[in-house]
Amino acid sequence: MMKTILLLAVAVFVSSTPVTTSVKPHTDKTPARHTDKALLGELVDELIVAIKDFPKVLPKEKLIFLKDLQMNGLDHKEREVLFCQVEQELKIKVSGLFGARFDHFRTDKKLMRNLNMYNKYHVKTCKLTDEKQDKIPLHDFLKNLLASVRNAYSQVN
Amino acid sequence: MFSTFKCQIFLTLICIALCYEPTKEDLKCFNDYETEMKCSLSSKRLQSCSGHKLNITHPVSNTFEKYTCIFERNHHSDNCECNVTVEGFVATEIFNTTLLEGSNVLLYKTFMTSDFIKPKSPVLSVQKIENGNFNVTWDDQYEKNGIFFEALRINLTYGIKGGHKNISKTVPNTVRSYEIVAKNLLPNTNYILTATMSTDYNDHSIPSDQSATVEFTTCKSI
């Protein structure tokens, strides 16, 4: 009788243990080239849309100023650091702003999510630049960023 | 004693047979890289979909989006299916799923977005043009243009209606049309055309469901 119960118990235990599995788990720190391409390409798409909401000419009181980060003439490593700094700058100064035109920059929207995922695989943390650095309007910041992302995209495409 | 042992083995086998033990292959999920994630559960031993659900956790930036996907029987496929609406997809984001029967955890499975993209099925259209050829156009059913749109490709298959031989052509989605040359076809014959879409995001590993069939007929003389 005990043997029966034990065998039954073992059978139940074996069949009830949840199976843990992943579908192609992403274990590498560096994503496949085609995912870099997807993330950067999507970032280009989202920036193009976001820039439309921030025309060059705006009333002074509506201008948002961000740090004038060095965005051109960078090598691959420097650009990775830049994208990390860009994410921090946008999160601190734009993501939380009130108004529908800032929706692109909410952390749950695709622009910031693509930027966040790219940085997760490249540079997770970075040193913030000095707050006393020169500032430029958001429109110019985004245009410079778009050029830099396009450059990065062309190198993985 | 031997009959007791046989009884033990029998009971064990009964339990193993009746206890539903899903494998990773039983749970499949796909996303359309727009707003929808669909999951299906298939198993010959799955008696009922009732009580089965999928808890989904989706890390987004520094938060977690949570969804519950409740399975229902699909009478066409006989699988248990469910779907959730997601606020946009990003290529390398992860979905952690927990398959439950009631409160009993059956399975954990993790999906990375780009790996389980299954594009929407295209909608085909065929028009005979002046030169006698057939111009195939399609709607990829995606609202936005952009990198994902450019990464799609369409796999066209056409052949004589009722026939066994088919011709397949693959073209980038950005081409937007494909011309079937009539002189390569038989005159006065009905042809059927279908298509699937696939994406470069996962090396075209998961094609869409097949499109609806479109028919066209060649002229009596070509």
Side-chain angles (χ1 to χ4, degrees):
Chain A
M1 182 62 180
M2 279 306 295
K3 272 189 195 172
T4 306
I5 293 169
L6 266 169
L7 271 171
L8 214 50
V10 167
V12 169
F13 175 73
V14 164
S15 65
S16 65
T17 306
V19 176
T20 303
T21 189
S22 294
V23 171
K24 294 184 189 173
H26 190 86
T27 52
D28 286 342
K29 284 194 178 169
T30 309
R33 205 169 167 80
H34 65 81
T35 51
D36 250 6
K37 181 179 154 187
L39 291 170
L40 291 170
E42 302 252 347
L43 204 39
V44 167
D45 289 345
E46 295 297 321
L47 282 168
I48 289 170
V49 172
I51 284 171
K52 285 178 186 164
D53 278 345
F54 294 93
K56 186 136 178 86
V57 180
L58 267 181
K60 212 174 179 180
E61 62 275 13
K62 287 198 171 182
L63 287 174
I64 309 294
F65 288 91
L66 278 73
K67 289 177 195 168
D68 187 12
L69 299 173
Q70 178 62 39
M71 295 200 192
N72 53 27
L74 302 176
D75 63 31
H76 179 67
K77 283 286 174 198
E78 288 168 332
R79 195 162 45 227
E80 288 184 344
V81 171
L82 166 69
F83 291 162
C84 174
Q85 291 171 335
V86 162
E87 186 186 359
Q88 297 308 315
E89 188 71 358
L90 287 172
K91 261 186 186 170
I92 293 167
K93 293 187 179 155
V94 189
S95 295
L97 291 176
F98 179 78
R101 65 197 182 110
F102 298 109
D103 280 352
H104 301 295
F105 305 100
R106 309 291 178 220
T107 54
D108 63 341
K109 293 293 186 278
K110 287 188 77 167
L111 192 159
M112 296 302 288
R113 283 162 63 187
N114 273 286
L115 188 54
N116 178 256
M117 290 312 294
Y118 183 86
N119 288 332
K120 268 200 166 104
Y121 290 115
H122 294 272
V123 175
K124 280 185 196 172
T125 56
C126 50
K127 205 174 157 184
L128 294 181
T129 55
D130 188 358
E131 197 54 46
K132 290 177 190 170
Q133 193 171 345
D134 287 344
K135 306 283 195 307
I136 54 174
L138 180 57
H139 171 89
D140 295 337
F141 183 93
L142 294 176
K143 288 216 85 171
N144 293 346
L145 177 60
L146 176 58
S148 191
V149 176
R150 273 185 165 142
N151 201 349
Y153 176 73
S154 67
Q155 290 175 14
V156 295
N157 197 11
Chain B
M1 186 177 169
F2 185 63
S3 64
T4 311
F5 181 66
K6 273 203 310 191
C7 186
Q8 290 164 356
I9 298 295
F10 176 72
L11 282 170
T12 307
L13 290 172
I14 290 287
C15 184
I16 289 171
L18 293 179
C19 298
Y20 174 53
E21 184 186 334
T23 64
K24 65 175 184 179
E25 284 78 27
D26 291 335
L27 177 63
K28 290 184 172 62
C29 288
F30 301 109
N31 75 78
D32 65 2
Y33 210 73
E34 198 169 63
T35 55
E36 192 171 56
M37 178 171 164
K38 265 188 196 171
C39 294
S40 68
L41 194 54
S42 60
S43 170
K44 287 173 188 168
R45 285 179 294 168
L46 182 56
Q47 303 287 335
S48 164
C49 302
S50 170
H52 288 84
K53 68 177 180 181
L54 210 58
N55 282 349
I56 304 169
T57 306
H58 171 211
V60 170
S61 293
N62 296 325
T63 62
F64 289 91
E65 297 292 330
K66 290 183 181 177
Y67 308 92
T68 301
C69 202
I70 297 170
F71 287 101
E72 289 177 354
R73 179 75 62 184
N74 179 318
H75 297 289
H76 297 294
S77 63
D78 215 26
N79 290 338
C80 298
E81 295 183 355
C82 69
N83 58 60
V84 293
T85 301
V86 174
E87 180 129 9
F89 290 93
V90 169
T92 52
E93 284 180 351
I94 296 290
F95 288 82
N96 298 304
T97 68
T98 305
L99 177 64
L100 294 145
E101 182 183 9
S103 57
N104 189 27
V105 175
L106 301 178
L107 178 69
Y108 300 106
K109 195 166 179 179
T110 297
F111 299 86
M112 188 169 83
T113 297
S114 51
D115 290 340
F116 73 109
I117 299 172
K118 180 178 175 182
K120 296 180 184 183
S121 295
V123 176
L124 297 174
S125 178
V126 180
Q127 300 265 335
K128 189 183 272 185
I129 50 182
E130 277 178 17
N131 58 11
N133 292 342
F134 296 91
N135 190 40
V136 181
T137 54
W138 57 87
D139 177 2
D140 53 48
Q141 305 227 73
Y142 286 94
E143 282 182 19
K144 291 182 184 175
N145 288 347
I147 181 73
F148 179 71
F149 173 88
E150 291 168 18
L152 291 169
R153 70 183 186 198
I154 188 164
N155 315 293
L156 299 161
T157 303
Y158 61 96
I160 295 172
K161 188 177 180 181
H164 301 290
K165 258 181 141 180
N166 288 322
I167 298 167
S168 291
K169 294 287 177 192
T170 298
V171 295
N173 184 42
T174 48
V175 169
R176 307 309 286 148
S177 67
Y178 178 77
E179 195 164 308
I180 298 175
V181 178
K183 70 175 184 190
N184 296 333
L185 305 175
L186 294 177
N188 200 27
T189 306
N190 292 333
Y191 282 82
I192 57 171
L193 170 73
T194 58
T196 58
M197 282 278 191
S198 57
T199 175
D200 186 43
Y201 276 28
N202 54 23
D203 293 325
H204 305 282
S205 58
I206 306 174
S208 68
D209 291 338
Q210 193 172 77
S211 69
T213 302
V214 170
E215 284 190 34
F216 59 97
T217 305
T218 50
C219 295
K220 284 183 182 170
S221 61
I222 294 176

